[in-house]
Amino acid sequence: METDLHELLRSLRVWDPAVTELPPLDPAGAPGDPLELFTRWFAEAVAAGEREPHTVSLATADAEGLPDARIVMLHGADADGWAFATHADSRKGRHLAARPYAALVFYWPVLGRQVRLRGPVAVAPADQARADLHARSTGALAAALTGRQSAELDSPEELARASQAAWERAEREPDAPVPSWTLYRLRPAEVEFFQGEARRRHVRLAYRRTEEKEGWDRRLLWP
């Protein structure tokens, strides 16, 4: 029987009480720096059993302003920004070279939470990119050595050969250099924390950077 997509969509529900907890968010008690609240929420997502809480949607735009999005992994977050990595010659790398501005969206459905960030993106020093890559797994290094991300692939066999060679080199040379591997940091101008609520009275707490005060303004948004 052919699947009726619309019927299937209508049958689905979000935040099933059997598997989802919707904790309250008290804006009055939120910290002044969004990084502190993000760190707290991230730890709570891990403790709640969220699968792959470090995965995040990254949105960029090309030279013509056309948007694109994909899932990447968070490599860290500190006062310098939220970090992710890719090849400089990949599609997203080319986008960021043309328009060094991006948005990130984390979604943790087990707690009914989202965190949205957007702001300028800077390239981290090359030594930090190397250290970041070589602190990861052999598989991560092999994938980086395989390279050619977003280029057209002639056949699965071509990928298999390149990947096998990359795995062998990664195991033989755990410090093998990957010159195109680039660590990026998004320094948010805006950070929004979204907490779902059962009666759809969702809490949206937005932080906006204020350079003149070297801090953040906070405000609530309608859901």
Side-chain angles (χ1 to χ4, degrees):
M1 179 181 295
E2 187 172 339
T3 300
D4 185 325
L5 177 60
H6 296 288
E7 188 66 29
L8 181 59
L9 287 169
R10 284 192 292 270
S11 72
L12 298 175
R13 295 293 180 268
V14 297
W15 305 333
D16 181 352
V19 295
T20 302
E21 177 187 0
L22 296 175
L25 169 59
D26 177 12
D33 189 322
L35 178 58
E36 183 180 342
L37 183 54
F38 176 84
T39 302
R40 183 190 307 167
W41 274 26
F42 187 87
E44 290 172 357
V46 172
E50 185 69 66
R51 290 191 171 188
E52 301 183 358
H54 57 320
T55 56
V56 56
S57 298
L58 166 67
T60 57
D62 65 17
E64 287 72 44
L66 297 176
D68 204 348
R70 76 290 288 161
I71 304 297
V72 298
M73 284 199 306
L74 180 70
H75 286 219
D78 55 28
D80 293 325
W82 275 247
F84 58 92
T86 188
H87 292 281
D89 54 0
S90 67
R91 179 181 293 179
K92 52 188 172 294
R94 296 194 303 271
H95 286 185
L96 291 168
R99 291 174 177 263
Y101 203 93
L104 297 172
V105 182
F106 294 86
Y107 180 46
W108 300 316
V110 71
L111 294 171
R113 286 175 170 173
Q114 298 180 52
V115 182
R116 302 170 60 210
L117 310 94
R118 63 176 181 169
V121 177
V123 174
D127 62 325
Q128 294 182 16
R130 286 194 297 271
D132 175 78
L133 176 60
H134 293 129
R136 300 176 69 204
S137 66
T138 300
L141 177 58
L145 287 167
T146 302
R148 291 181 265 181
Q149 191 177 68
S150 304
E152 289 190 9
L153 177 66
D154 289 335
S155 69
E157 291 75 23
E158 181 185 24
L159 172 60
R161 289 192 297 270
S163 176
Q164 181 62 33
W167 270 92
E168 291 172 0
R169 186 180 178 194
E171 291 168 344
R172 186 175 65 250
E173 300 177 53
D175 294 325
V178 184
S180 63
W181 190 253
T182 305
L183 184 68
Y184 296 91
R185 288 197 177 93
L186 185 152
R187 185 173 186 264
E190 301 176 28
V191 184
E192 180 192 321
F193 294 85
F194 172 103
Q195 175 61 68
E197 197 272 340
R199 296 184 66 84
R200 302 302 191 263
R201 298 165 185 166
H202 314 311
V203 179
R204 294 178 62 188
L205 176 61
Y207 290 74
R208 294 198 174 114
R209 191 182 294 275
T210 56
E211 298 291 356
E212 62 276 8
K213 295 194 306 186
E214 297 183 354
W216 298 87
D217 278 338
R218 290 182 298 170
R219 65 194 66 189
L220 291 173
L221 305 177
W222 281 82

